[in-house]
Amino acid sequence: MWSSRLFWKLFLVYAGLNIASAIVFVLIVSGRQQSQVVEEVQQRLHDSAVIMRSSLDGVFQQGFSERLQEKVRKLGEETGMRLTLIGMDGVVIADSDQETLEMVRLMENHKNRVEVIQAMSTGAGESKRLSPTVSEPMLYYAVLFKEAGEPEGIVRMAMTMAKIQTEISSIQKLIWSIALLVSFTVMLLTYWVVARMIRPLTILTNAAESIAGGDYDQKLYFPQHDELGILAQSFNHMSKEMAERVRQLQASGDRLSTVLEGMVEGVIAINERQHVLFANESAGRLLFFAPDQAQGKALFESVRNHQLQKAVTEVLKTLEPQRMEVELESTSDRILGVTTTPLPGTPCPGLVIVLFDMTELRRLESLRQEFVANVSHELKTPLSSIKAYTETLIRGAMNDPEISQTFLLRIEEQADRLHQLILDLISLASIESGNQIFDIISIELRPFVESCLIDHQKVAEAKNIELQIEEKEPGIKVKADDEGLHQILGNLVNNAIKYTPDQGRITIRWERESAKMVLLQVQDTGIGIEEKYQARLFERFFRVDKARSRELGGTGLGLSIVKHLVQSFNGTIAVTSKMGEGSTFSVRLPKG
């Protein structure tokens, strides 16, 4: 209450009006009372003069007299007034303020006194002036004394202004005391009334500040049924509605934030000055900036890309949505699809930027184009050979048994190659589509590997390549499809034999890598693979040395099939290699 500025404004205004009213009242009453006191004194002087006149028969004919002077002096003491008897010639006969008759005789002539002149002309006179005799301000009243109808003298009554002022002062003190008491009482009442008025407003203000601070559960209870009571009811209804709407907005905002943060696409909202209003984590990851630090700052302080900046400026100018692709130069080149859409409103309050990582899509499109080109090339080569040999035979070579036999063998070889290529394509397509059904069982590796090596023993012996098995722990099993695992291991061993020179060595080892995974490795002492080619080694139709690969009869799909089969078994495959020292293919499969 003491800190309420409105309280002090109202209280001081009412207090000021009260004090001003009291002062005006006192001044008016005091002035009126002063006039009334003067009038009462004048009336008393008049009454006294009239009474004195009635008791002064014959005194003016006697003239100066000790007896008369003594009588007049006593009357003055008894009445508390100054009594003066003045002859028609202005000579003072007796005066109550003089001690002796001699002093009366020495008094100056009063014929020119204002009240005496008025009394002689009208029968009565009054004046207020400084007395030359006693040197004090006096109030005079004089009446004409007549005897037998003839004027004999003047009877004058006087009173000092000091006595009148004393009486007026005592009355004024009383008036001021009453005014102060009433003013103090009114101020206490004003304080109580203003405090009673301000207290609900203070409560309302505190409740409003609490709502502004986020505490919406505010309830006001005023016993009054006036406007303040109605205001309290309206306030309670408003706070309830606001709390519900804020909860809805918070829930909606949380859902929106969760959705935006969970999006793979990057989302950035900027205002008309290109300052960041919002950016999700995906946007920061795609454009390499920290969304929390960028908020409130200019977008291009954090993201320096000329193409993006140009697109944003253009959309803010034309207010037309725009879609484009942006290339980012980073450690790995990245291609982003950017959609910029202006926010609704006039003038435009900003725009939303949606970012799509199109790097993988573009890579897949490139792979698809390359795959089509490779398939076309791989199919064209054996078909061209078959067509050439056939045309040669038709033109007469078939009549030569030796040549025809050679050409027919070449045709059969190319047909087998074409058949194997088609089978690999069908197998790869079936695996990738997920239509191929696998029978996942627990397979013990030792007998399985030995069976696989028997299939490749003759080819290895032809090149004097040693096939070794390293088993660190007996009885290890993996979860896989029997035929699929046979294809995986067969492809890896077959490749190792192809690219390992004579007198080389191929080692198959396995071990328990963790509680859930088993590591199966095929290591050779072959020519090795350059590091720059290792990342693309499992792509379809990718060959490090295309001429050598075709010469060895490869289709370029073996390792790609291996990768997809391993992934189908919930495993992974990797390669480590060093030029001239050989390669190691590591397959990780679930423990059986």
Side-chain angles (χ1 to χ4, degrees):
M1 187 66 67
W2 292 98
S3 60
S4 173
R5 288 180 291 179
L6 180 59
F7 168 80
W8 286 111
K9 285 181 181 179
L10 292 176
F11 178 74
L12 291 177
V13 167
Y14 283 124
L17 290 174
N18 174 46
I19 294 172
S21 300
I23 292 174
V24 172
F25 171 78
V26 169
L27 292 177
I28 293 174
V29 172
S30 179
R32 176 60 183 161
Q33 191 64 32
Q34 184 174 357
S35 301
Q36 190 174 356
V37 169
V38 172
E39 289 176 359
E40 289 178 357
V41 171
Q42 288 176 343
Q43 186 63 40
R44 284 168 57 192
L45 291 173
H46 172 268
D47 295 341
S48 298
V50 171
I51 293 172
M52 291 298 177
R53 183 179 63 180
S54 63
S55 62
L56 295 176
D57 293 339
V59 296
F60 287 99
Q61 287 83 359
Q62 296 176 6
F64 293 101
S65 168
E66 287 286 349
R67 182 181 176 185
L68 178 61
Q69 172 61 25
E70 184 65 23
K71 180 180 179 180
V72 169
R73 193 173 62 80
K74 287 182 178 181
L75 287 174
E77 290 178 357
E78 292 174 359
T79 59
M81 299 180 187
R82 181 184 175 188
L83 172 60
T84 305
L85 300 179
I86 304 169
M88 292 302 293
D89 56 357
V91 176
V92 177
I93 299 174
D95 190 292
S96 62
D97 280 1
Q98 303 300 324
E99 294 294 331
T100 62
L101 184 61
E102 292 299 324
M103 294 177 67
V104 173
R105 291 178 184 277
L106 295 175
M107 292 179 63
E108 59 184 46
N109 193 290
H110 282 37
K111 188 176 183 178
N112 294 325
R113 299 292 194 269
V114 176
E115 67 277 5
V116 174
I117 295 173
Q118 290 177 355
M120 287 181 178
S121 60
T122 62
E126 63 180 55
S127 68
K128 183 167 53 176
R129 55 185 172 77
L130 181 67
S131 172
T133 305
V134 295
S135 300
E136 289 183 13
M138 303 285 288
L139 180 62
Y140 297 96
Y141 192 88
V143 294
L144 180 65
F145 177 78
K146 292 183 180 181
E147 190 172 352
E150 293 295 329
E152 294 292 334
I154 304 296
V155 177
R156 188 183 72 174
M157 300 298 295
M159 182 180 288
T160 62
M161 292 299 296
K163 293 182 179 181
I164 299 173
Q165 195 62 43
T166 300
E167 187 174 351
I168 292 173
S169 296
S170 63
I171 294 174
Q172 286 181 342
K173 287 179 180 179
L174 178 62
I175 294 173
W176 277 107
S177 299
I178 294 172
L180 288 174
L181 179 61
V182 171
S183 296
F184 181 74
T185 303
V186 171
M187 287 182 70
L188 290 178
L189 183 61
T190 299
Y191 179 89
W192 181 79
V193 171
V194 173
R196 186 176 175 82
M197 291 172 57
I198 294 299
R199 188 174 293 108
L201 295 178
T202 303
I203 296 172
L204 185 63
T205 301
N206 293 334
E209 290 178 350
S210 297
I211 288 178
D215 183 8
Y216 300 100
D217 297 326
Q218 296 293 318
K219 300 294 181 184
L220 301 180
Y221 300 98
F222 294 155
Q224 305 97 311
H225 296 287
D226 54 7
E227 286 78 1
L228 287 174
I230 297 172
L231 178 61
Q233 294 177 2
S234 301
F235 184 88
N236 292 337
H237 179 70
M238 179 196 70
S239 63
K240 182 179 178 181
E241 289 293 324
M242 185 176 293
E244 183 61 28
R245 293 187 182 184
V246 167
R247 290 189 188 99
Q248 292 176 358
L249 288 174
Q250 287 177 342
S252 177
D254 291 341
R255 287 194 297 269
L256 180 60
S257 178
T258 302
V259 170
L260 290 174
E261 291 297 338
M263 289 175 62
V264 177
E265 295 82 2
V267 179
I268 303 174
I270 63 174
N271 60 16
E272 72 283 0
R273 295 184 292 117
Q274 301 185 16
H275 286 191
V276 177
L277 302 176
F278 171 82
N280 64 359
E281 291 296 329
S282 296
R285 185 177 62 256
L286 292 173
L287 294 176
F288 307 103
F289 72 97
D292 294 340
Q293 297 178 6
Q295 192 166 355
K297 299 180 181 178
L299 173 63
F300 299 105
E301 288 183 11
S302 304
V303 181
R304 300 187 181 276
N305 186 279
H306 179 70
Q307 291 176 287
L308 184 59
Q309 184 174 6
K310 184 178 179 181
V312 168
T313 305
E314 185 68 20
V315 172
L316 286 175
K317 184 183 298 183
T318 62
L319 301 181
E320 293 293 333
Q322 189 176 106
R323 185 179 178 85
M324 62 181 297
E325 290 187 6
V326 174
E327 294 185 7
L328 300 180
E329 295 181 359
S330 58
T331 53
S332 58
D333 292 339
R334 179 175 289 178
I335 301 173
L336 299 181
V338 180
T339 300
T340 50
T341 306
L343 294 171
T346 305
C348 178
L351 54 85
V352 174
I353 304 171
V354 181
L355 307 168
F356 308 86
D357 190 352
M358 302 182 69
T359 307
E360 184 65 16
L361 179 62
R362 291 290 177 261
R363 189 184 71 82
L364 292 175
E365 287 181 356
S366 177
L367 288 177
R368 180 183 59 81
Q369 293 171 357
E370 186 177 346
F371 174 72
V372 171
N374 286 332
V375 167
S376 301
H377 182 74
E378 294 295 334
L379 292 174
K380 178 183 176 182
T381 301
L383 285 173
S384 298
S385 298
I386 292 172
K387 188 174 185 303
Y389 290 136
T390 304
E391 288 177 351
T392 304
L393 289 172
I394 292 173
R395 291 175 183 175
M398 60 184 301
N399 297 323
D400 187 336
E402 185 178 351
I403 294 176
S404 62
Q405 181 68 24
T406 302
F407 279 14
L408 288 173
L409 290 173
R410 292 286 185 269
I411 291 173
E412 182 184 20
E413 180 184 329
Q414 294 299 322
D416 289 341
R417 179 181 175 188
L418 185 60
H419 181 256
Q420 185 61 46
L421 177 61
I422 293 172
L423 288 178
D424 284 350
L425 286 172
I426 293 172
S427 176
L428 182 61
S430 178
I431 296 170
E432 286 185 337
S433 65
N435 294 328
Q436 186 169 348
I437 299 174
F438 297 103
D439 184 16
I440 306 298
I441 59 174
S442 291
I443 301 173
E444 187 176 350
L445 286 178
R446 178 78 189 199
F448 184 85
V449 172
E450 289 176 346
S451 174
C452 182
L453 290 183
I454 290 173
D455 296 339
H456 296 84
Q457 187 68 41
K458 290 183 179 181
V459 180
E461 288 178 353
K463 296 181 65 175
N464 292 322
I465 294 176
E466 182 184 359
L467 299 177
Q468 292 182 347
I469 293 177
E470 290 184 7
E471 183 183 24
K472 294 188 177 180
E473 181 181 346
I476 294 179
K477 297 180 179 181
V478 295
K479 289 183 178 180
D481 177 79
D482 186 81
E483 184 179 348
L485 184 58
H486 189 276
Q487 193 172 0
I488 291 171
L489 189 58
N491 271 324
L492 293 177
V493 173
N494 187 46
N495 279 348
I497 293 173
K498 286 180 181 179
Y499 294 100
T500 300
D502 295 349
Q503 309 299 323
R505 183 177 65 256
I506 297 174
T507 305
I508 297 94
R509 68 171 65 91
W510 60 90
E511 62 179 320
R512 193 191 314 271
E513 188 176 44
S514 66
K516 295 183 178 181
M517 300 299 290
V518 172
L519 174 64
L520 173 63
Q521 292 183 319
V522 177
Q523 182 180 10
D524 63 57
T525 57
I527 60 176
I529 306 166
E530 290 186 52
E531 185 177 356
K532 63 180 180 180
Y533 296 127
Q534 292 178 19
R536 299 190 59 193
L537 197 61
F538 297 99
E539 293 179 6
R540 290 168 290 189
F541 295 114
F542 179 78
R543 295 184 176 93
V544 177
D545 187 344
K546 296 183 179 180
R548 180 180 176 87
S549 178
R550 289 195 183 96
E551 182 183 341
L552 295 174
T555 63
L557 296 174
L559 288 178
S560 181
I561 293 173
V562 168
K563 182 189 77 171
H564 285 85
L565 284 171
V566 170
Q567 291 176 347
S568 299
F569 301 155
N570 296 320
T572 60
I573 186 169
V575 61
T576 56
S577 181
K578 195 170 183 181
M579 292 298 295
E581 296 183 8
S583 304
T584 301
F585 287 83
S586 300
V587 178
R588 289 171 176 83
L589 294 172
K591 179 178 174 295

